Amino acid sequence: MARYIFITGGVVSSLGKGLMAASLAALLQARGYKVRIRKFDPYLNVDPGTMSPYQHGEVYVTDDGAETDLDLGHYERFTGVSAHQGDNITSGRIYQQIIARERRGDYLGATVQVIPHVTDAIKQFALADTEDLDFVLCEIGGTVGDIESLPFIEAIRQLRNELGRERSCAVHVTLVPYVSAAGELKTKPTQHSVRELTSLGVQPDLLLCRCEHALPESERSKIALFCNVRPEAVIQALDASSIYAVPLQYHAEGLDDEVLRHFDLAAPTPDLARWDDILDRYQNPEGEVTIGVVGKYVGLPDAYKSLNEALVHGGMANRVKVNIRWIDAEIFEQDDSDIVAQLEPLHGILVPGGFGTRGSEGKIASVRFARERNVPFFGICLGMQMACVEGARNTAGIETAASTEFGPTDEPVVGIITEWMTKEGLQTREAGGDLGGTMRLGAYDARLQPNSRVAEIYGSTEISERHRHRYEVNASYVPALEQGGLVFSGMSPDGLLPEIVERPDHPWFVGVQFHPELKSKPFDPHPLFASFIKAAIHQSRLV
Ligand code: GLN
């Protein structure tokens, strides 16, 4: 029977609970235990799919088509366990289900309430599909004390009662700030946060204290005394040099030992060789390349979280450091913009996924630069669509080529898709319908042309990749675009939807309709990213 580890955060947000959950899961996995991580998000959106990346960071997409919190990306990258819809729940989704049931009459005669109806739904979500697991880690979004997370904390309280201490452990992640004027670390915020959590009926078993300076024994004992935990269960979590150093660091601090001790479980020696290897690759590169990402949400690195990581993985695969230059596509739309000065020093240009017209002309100009100057180019989702619009305009003579996403056009090289085939049958959408959860989402197969560059990179002609888009390259333009030198080397199995384009006459020019960054792992870098960085290394020797 699975054991549950509940992870809450206190004092401030952004303490890295997601990374902590992912690291702890990876450490338990390294001891031979089977793990799964789940995220509870207290906000009222049904999923983060309709939120701006500036609000919430990247939307992470699972194989089964769920639009989820970016922490699920950390979970997958650190454990290799594919996340699915049932691993991320929001208050919005819970209320949506309960209200639908109420309208159907499922609760006829009853008053529908937060306790027990909402808390029961949260508990069911936590407990579902966990039969074959050793550990389920449940991370609660937000900070203890938030009004909207109260039902989640209450559900944990009930679950801890039902499961017993042998099957549940509460980890609270807090901040121990350093007050430079006093030259001291301060434990009071942690004490207050634990008091708040305890007042809600949840006594933490383990405290993970984020701090910029080492936590002296005296402060550790003080926290243990005031917060009612063993001193060994107060774990210091200093800032790490890289996210990939976190599991090894937490292991050195005894986090996984302490968790196993709590459950009275055997603690076989962990196999951490793969963590040592990736950290070595990250910390001891043998060269470096600079990649320009020409996008729209460049002010917030979290908006391109998986992309950032996949580029790092591509660097690890080639033992080089990848410097990422985030470039706002809009600057190339200004009259005085000097695109050459910006893009010439780069060893690779990547146009990532995105939505809406803002910056699209700047992206198209970047594609053109990469194509004409033979700079490695990688277009992802919107980036692939822009590569096709650029090709249409400048190599196929379709001067007014555009995407219908940007407004009405006579030459819809990229257009909305309202019908497509899934394994379950035909999916249909109405133009102008609901925007939430209605894109072409999740894993779809593609067939690659034998002898194409991508077939060689993948080492296969059958692939499956995750999608998240509403528009698609219009297949009726394929012949014209091919005349212009683009090759459609990947198509959906029914041959109707373009999945990959490449330019065989260019050193490295690939556009993909899907999001390969979502499946890249440090131990298993995505082949397209590994190959793109390899091409960038080659380019770095030319410039
Ligand atoms: N906006 C484009 C579409 O909906 C691309 C989406 C994306 O890049 N994820 O098709």
Side-chain angles (χ1 to χ4, degrees):
M1 262 210 285
R3 292 167 174 81
Y4 284 79
I5 300 171
F6 300 107
I7 299 161
T8 53
V11 184
V12 291
S13 57
S14 305
L15 284 179
K17 283 196 308 283
L19 268 175
M20 185 272 161
S23 301
L24 177 56
L27 291 171
L28 293 169
Q29 208 181 31
R31 308 255 193 182
Y33 290 108
K34 219 167 155 210
V35 299
R36 179 165 281 286
I37 319 176
R38 294 194 154 151
K39 176 88 194 270
F40 301 69
D41 277 314
Y43 52 73
L44 285 175
N45 300 60
V46 172
D47 60 43
T50 51
M51 273 187 247
S52 155
Y54 275 129
Q55 277 282 316
H56 192 263
E58 162 191 273
V59 175
Y60 189 76
V61 181
T62 58
D63 275 335
D64 61 358
E67 295 177 282
T68 72
D69 185 75
L70 58 76
D71 275 330
L72 273 80
H74 288 311
Y75 306 165
E76 270 206 40
R77 284 188 283 275
F78 275 45
T79 64
V81 177
S82 290
H84 45 64
Q85 173 84 67
D87 293 329
N88 189 195
I89 195 92
T90 66
S91 296
R93 187 176 295 278
I94 287 173
Y95 278 95
Q96 187 189 43
Q97 281 169 4
I98 290 176
I99 291 167
R101 277 187 212 150
E102 186 275 334
R103 290 290 81 185
R104 250 196 338 256
D106 290 2
Y107 305 110
L108 224 47
T111 307
V112 184
Q113 294 180 297
V114 172
I115 307 171
H117 299 95
V118 172
T119 46
D120 277 355
I122 296 171
K123 289 194 289 181
Q124 273 164 20
F125 160 74
L127 297 171
D129 301 324
T130 55
E131 296 76 28
D132 59 340
L133 298 171
D134 297 311
F135 289 104
V136 182
L137 290 86
C138 298
E139 178 194 345
I140 292 68
T143 307
V144 166
D146 295 347
I147 290 176
E148 55 184 14
S149 63
L150 285 174
F152 291 93
I153 307 285
E154 167 61 13
I156 295 178
R157 185 193 67 76
Q158 295 176 18
L159 269 176
R160 277 168 63 77
N161 240 349
E162 290 160 24
L163 295 165
R165 184 189 157 81
E166 331 67 75
R167 284 189 60 211
S168 78
C169 176
V171 178
H172 190 52
V173 184
T174 76
L175 178 71
V176 181
Y178 180 76
V179 178
S180 51
E184 279 175 17
L185 283 166
K186 291 292 175 191
T187 64
K188 197 72 83 189
T190 296
Q191 295 177 37
H192 281 301
S193 181
V194 171
R195 187 174 306 158
E196 175 87 37
L197 186 58
T198 315
S199 75
L200 301 173
V202 178
Q203 162 67 49
D205 300 301
L206 211 134
L207 296 175
L208 189 86
C209 302
R210 291 295 315 276
C211 42
E212 281 175 68
H213 293 266
L215 195 62
E217 211 43 58
S218 57
E219 301 310 290
R220 186 186 282 230
S221 308
K222 194 162 148 192
I223 293 174
L225 180 69
F226 281 105
C227 300
N228 212 13
V229 295
R230 300 165 62 250
E232 297 77 19
V234 179
I235 309 278
Q236 126 181 314
L238 284 162
D239 292 347
S241 56
S242 144
I243 59 168
Y244 298 107
V246 174
L248 292 173
Q249 193 168 318
Y250 286 180
H251 175 65
E253 296 295 342
L255 173 65
D256 44 331
D257 274 314
E258 200 49 42
V259 167
L260 293 173
R261 206 206 62 86
H262 169 92
F263 287 116
D264 216 359
L265 276 176
T269 313
D271 178 4
L272 295 169
R274 66 178 188 172
W275 288 99
D276 289 327
D277 177 52
I278 57 162
L279 197 58
D280 178 54
R281 285 169 178 275
Y282 182 78
Q283 286 176 338
N284 303 303
E286 287 162 7
E288 56 184 287
V289 294
T290 302
I291 303 295
V293 177
V294 184
K296 175 170 161 188
Y297 317 107
V298 291
L300 181 77
D302 268 2
Y304 298 111
K305 191 83 209 158
S306 295
L307 179 68
N308 183 85
E309 298 311 317
L311 285 166
V312 172
H313 305 161
M316 287 172 175
N318 291 282
R319 276 201 174 270
V320 291
K321 176 169 189 258
V322 178
N323 303 308
I324 305 176
R325 201 160 293 164
W326 302 100
I327 301 170
D328 182 354
E330 269 188 297
I331 61 172
F332 299 141
E333 295 173 359
Q334 287 150 15
D335 290 341
D336 59 348
S337 90
D338 191 352
I339 190 162
V340 177
Q342 291 275 342
L343 300 185
E344 206 161 44
L346 303 172
H347 308 132
I349 294 172
L350 193 152
V351 178
F355 293 84
T357 185
R358 187 159 62 78
S360 56
E361 289 304 323
K363 293 173 194 174
I364 293 168
S366 309
V367 180
R368 181 173 192 169
F369 180 92
R371 178 178 57 76
E372 291 181 342
R373 298 292 199 99
N374 282 331
V375 179
F377 170 79
F378 197 0
I380 293 180
C381 208
L382 183 66
M384 178 261 205
Q385 297 172 359
M386 295 303 92
C388 291
V389 170
E390 191 280 331
R393 287 186 192 171
N394 303 319
T395 67
I398 308 168
E399 278 158 31
T400 56
S403 165
T404 59
E405 183 174 3
F406 310 149
T409 168
D410 294 342
E411 299 283 8
V413 168
V414 178
I416 197 154
I417 23 167
T418 49
E419 278 190 1
W420 66 91
M421 206 39 121
T422 68
K423 285 185 182 129
E424 289 75 41
L426 190 70
Q427 285 274 332
T428 50
R429 299 282 188 271
E430 278 185 34
D434 278 359
L435 294 181
T438 53
M439 282 186 258
R440 184 171 175 239
L441 286 166
Y444 282 88
D445 293 340
R447 301 250 157 85
L448 311 187
Q449 219 173 72
N451 304 321
S452 60
R453 182 195 303 272
V454 284
E456 190 193 316
I457 293 172
Y458 276 97
S460 170
T461 53
E462 306 274 320
I463 62 164
S464 168
E465 292 281 7
R466 297 183 191 169
H467 292 65
R468 180 173 186 250
H469 57 107
R470 211 180 296 285
Y471 297 82
E472 193 90 41
V473 177
N474 189 337
S476 60
Y477 283 90
V478 166
L481 292 169
E482 292 209 310
Q483 287 269 307
L486 276 169
V487 169
F488 285 78
S489 51
M491 296 294 287
S492 56
D494 59 10
L496 297 176
L497 304 176
E499 292 278 3
I500 305 182
V501 290
E502 58 181 80
R503 286 190 178 274
D505 60 353
H506 185 283
W508 206 99
F509 189 107
V510 175
V512 295
Q513 184 55 77
F514 45 83
H515 289 275
E517 71 274 23
L518 300 176
K519 282 175 68 169
S520 187
K521 319 228 164 29
F523 330 104
D524 187 14
H526 193 286
L528 285 172
F529 282 89
S531 175
F532 176 56
I533 296 300
K534 194 169 171 195
I537 296 170
H538 185 72
Q539 178 71 12
S540 73
R541 297 193 177 126
L542 301 178
V543 292

